[in-house]
Each structure stands twice: as C-alpha cells, then as structure tokens.
Amino acid sequence: MLDLLASTGTKEILEFIRNQSQPIRSTDIDKHFTEKGATIPLKTATIYRRLKELELAGFIIRQPPGSNTFILTPQAEDILDRQILQHPEITELKRSHRALLHQIKQNRDVNVVELQEKAKMSPTTINVGLQKLSSLGLIKPEYQLEKKIKGPGRPKKRHKLTKKGEKVYKAQKKLEQAK
C-alpha cells in the first residue's frame, strides 16, 4: 500500500477525487491531469493504471458499481486525514528507504558497513537512501571517535533516528498494518 502511495500521481489523483462533491468520471480525471498547465502532468496510461491500482487497493470504489465514476472509500479518507497529512514524508519513501529506516530503528547506531551486512543492499542504494532520509530530517549522522586509534582516518559516521523519524516510523507501521 505504501508503494502505491509513493507512486507518481497517486496522491494527486486521490486529492482530486476527494475534492469533488459528487462521483467523478475517469475521463474527467484524465482530462484534468493530461491538459496543459496541470499541477502534475500525467500520461493517460499512467492515470488509468493508478485508478485500477487504487481500486484494487480499496482506496476508491465505483459509484454506482460497474460504472466509470469513482469516489473515495472511508478507509482512504481516514488515511488521507490522519497519517498522510500529518506525515507526508511517508509517501516519499521507496521500499528500500523504508527498509533502511527499519534497520536504523532496530539497530540504533549503525554505519554504512553494518547496513550493508544487515539490509543486504548495495552501497549505492544505501547511500542514496541515507541522503533521502537525512534530507527529510528522519535520521541524523553522528561522528564517534574510536578510543583506540590505530592510524590516520576519519571518525566513523553512525546514523540515528530523529524524533521526527520516530514519529514517521510509527505512522508507517500503522499504515502497513492497515492493509
């Protein structure tokens, strides 16, 4: 479900459907996002794919059944109201970034080498993920000096969750359990 919310255009489509006073047709959604000057330009195939994914995930339903008009489900309203609006960072995190956040939460202070061993990810994926998490303010690096310095070198950089990171982690877990 979180991967769907992190997909391009998903939040925008949900907000567009939410702001309508009555059920909206799929063709009207398509016109809104494919016209010039749209807030986020999407291709027709992307829009219909997102509508199908949102319907399968239970975020939208057809009203009346079998038609091409959609409304939000109460579950989607609740998720939009509570979790996503309080922590919009959740929908910006890819699966690999969420896995890194989980590893940092579980292991407290970790460095890149330990993350490679535990998360089984490439160094590039880890570095990009750490930059993303750091730019969102979810983790902070800390430098620790070794007591026994064996030679020249930099102090080890370890990563910890911030208070904001703790809140986002808890909200993310609630969303994952709401499947």
Side-chain angles (χ1 to χ4, degrees):
M1 173 171 54
L2 291 175
D3 289 330
L4 175 60
L5 292 173
S7 300
T8 305
T10 301
K11 289 186 293 188
E12 291 79 7
I13 290 173
L14 285 172
E15 284 296 328
F16 182 70
I17 294 172
R18 182 183 194 191
N19 293 333
Q20 303 303 313
S21 58
Q22 56 188 0
I24 186 159
R25 298 181 57 154
S26 56
T27 54
D28 295 334
I29 296 170
D30 182 46
K31 284 179 189 174
H32 177 75
F33 287 104
T34 55
E35 67 185 19
K36 290 184 180 180
T39 56
I40 179 168
L42 298 171
K43 297 190 183 292
T44 300
T46 303
I47 294 167
Y48 284 99
R49 188 177 330 109
R50 293 292 176 265
L51 288 174
K52 186 67 174 175
E53 291 168 346
L54 288 169
E55 186 178 14
L56 289 173
F59 281 99
I60 59 175
I61 55 173
R62 294 175 187 263
Q63 188 66 29
S67 68
N68 285 331
T69 56
F70 296 97
I71 60 170
L72 289 183
T73 62
Q75 174 196 11
E77 288 278 352
D78 182 50
I79 288 173
L80 288 173
D81 286 339
R82 290 192 301 140
Q83 279 89 6
I84 294 174
L85 294 180
Q86 289 175 0
H87 303 289
E89 303 85 10
I90 293 174
T91 58
E92 295 181 30
L93 299 178
K94 294 180 181 178
R95 181 175 290 159
S96 60
H97 300 159
R98 291 194 312 269
L100 282 175
L101 190 68
H102 179 72
Q103 286 297 324
I104 293 170
K105 169 71 174 165
Q106 296 301 317
N107 301 311
R108 306 282 177 210
D109 298 330
V110 291
N111 63 21
V112 175
V113 175
E114 293 168 349
L115 284 172
Q116 279 180 285
E117 292 170 359
K118 294 178 181 178
K120 306 283 190 226
M121 293 181 195
S122 72
T124 305
T125 304
I126 290 173
N127 286 327
V128 169
L130 291 175
Q131 288 175 353
K132 179 70 173 184
L133 293 172
S134 186
S135 69
L136 291 172
L138 303 179
I139 62 170
K140 62 181 176 185
E142 290 185 348
Y143 296 95
Q144 294 180 344
L145 291 173
E146 296 289 325
K147 291 187 179 183
K148 296 179 182 178
I149 298 177
K150 296 180 181 177
R154 298 185 305 184
K156 289 186 177 180
K157 186 193 297 186
R158 305 185 79 70
H159 301 279
K160 282 184 156 182
L161 286 181
T162 60
K163 288 181 182 180
K164 181 180 179 182
E166 290 281 346
K167 290 178 184 176
V168 168
Y169 181 79
K170 288 177 185 175
Q172 168 192 324
K173 286 297 174 192
K174 284 181 186 176
L175 274 175
E176 287 176 351
Q177 293 171 353
K179 288 181 181 180

